Amino acid sequence: TRRPGPARPVRVVPGVADPAGRRNGPRCLAARVGADCRDARQRGVCGADRCRRACRGAGGAARAIAFQAIQDKADVIIVNQTLSKAKLLADQLGCEYSSFINHDFNNSTSYKVVINTLPSFIYNTEPLILSWVQQILKPDIIAMDIVYQPFLTPFVQIAQKASSECILGFEMYIHQALAQIDLWFSPTVAERVELQNLMEQYFTALLNKEEMI
């Protein structure tokens, strides 16, 4: 694990329904991650005032998630296959970084949250990443995957076997969609609740169908 270099200014990308046309919405995604972690602390899953969060990947989603986590006063480490990419992002945010190959597992016991931003197919092509996840996930860790197709990604399946607290990608997707709806249409509280219930029912039905296959 490397310590961060001097922090540099970070350009914050606006939310999901930004009028300029951006569609990925990393800020809303990141805010939801922070909300889930705060909720987990309230439920007793995460007891630390300053959660130590490991973010797997170093792309745009990882940047947004790490940025929001730092705003939530979390201790963040960026873990990526390419050390130079992890270092670049970590230097910009002022946090720690590591690669899968030189990760200090002796220091991993302090992790409270592990967030995956890597695509599912990577587990079939990179055994090192698969091994890292299997070693890092434990019963007292919150494991969140931002990937929602399939619902039960390899990361989620490993987390379930490790008895980790799992947050599936579609949960992030729902709150990201609600943030867009809030910005563009300003629904009433009742309308928003109804929309959330409909989306949760829809995705839960798909999840149950996937679990039966």
Side-chain angles (χ1 to χ4, degrees):
T1 302
R2 310 296 181 84
R3 298 301 303 178
R8 285 180 269 174
V10 178
R11 182 176 67 86
V12 179
V13 180
V16 289
D18 175 58
R22 301 178 181 89
R23 300 180 62 186
N24 292 329
R27 282 300 300 284
C28 285
L29 178 159
R32 179 56 191 163
V33 173
D36 281 321
C37 190
R38 288 190 293 274
D39 176 63
R41 287 203 295 273
Q42 293 171 0
R43 288 183 284 118
V45 178
C46 179
D49 290 331
R50 286 184 64 87
C51 274
R52 181 169 172 79
R53 305 184 202 177
C55 189
R56 300 179 57 253
R63 174 190 296 273
I65 291 171
F67 176 85
Q68 185 65 43
I70 292 170
Q71 299 304 301
D72 289 341
K73 308 301 182 184
D75 294 322
V76 175
I77 179 170
I78 304 295
V79 186
N80 194 56
Q81 185 172 8
T82 306
L83 185 62
S84 59
K85 291 183 179 179
K87 181 181 185 303
L88 178 63
L89 180 55
D91 284 349
Q92 292 173 344
L93 295 175
C95 63
E96 296 181 47
Y97 66 96
S98 177
S99 71
F100 295 112
I101 198 169
N102 69 351
H103 191 79
D104 180 11
F105 285 99
N106 293 326
N107 195 33
S108 299
T109 55
S110 61
Y111 293 158
K112 299 300 180 183
V113 184
V114 178
I115 304 169
N116 176 60
T117 68
L118 299 176
S120 294
F121 71 82
I122 201 96
Y123 291 88
N124 298 323
T125 59
E126 299 295 341
L128 182 64
I129 297 177
L130 177 63
S131 175
W132 185 90
V133 172
Q134 290 170 333
Q135 293 182 69
I136 211 77
L137 293 181
K138 300 290 187 292
D140 59 343
I141 283 180
I142 300 172
M144 178 172 181
D145 200 338
I146 72 166
V147 178
Y148 51 86
Q149 291 183 339
F151 295 122
L152 301 177
T153 63
F155 177 83
V156 169
Q157 293 180 49
I158 295 170
Q160 289 176 333
K161 290 180 181 178
S163 299
S164 299
E165 175 84 2
C166 295
I167 300 173
L168 305 187
F170 78 84
E171 298 179 55
M172 173 275 298
Y173 182 90
I174 288 173
H175 287 273
Q176 189 175 358
L178 288 172
Q180 291 188 23
I181 292 169
D182 287 342
L183 185 58
W184 287 104
F185 303 108
S186 301
T188 65
V189 174
E191 290 172 336
R192 195 180 192 280
V193 170
E194 182 178 3
L195 286 168
Q196 181 171 347
N197 289 337
L198 287 172
M199 286 189 284
E200 288 176 349
Q201 291 171 17
Y202 173 77
F203 282 109
T204 299
L206 291 179
L207 173 61
N208 292 336
K209 183 177 180 181
E210 184 174 303
E211 288 178 330
M212 293 175 61
I213 298 177

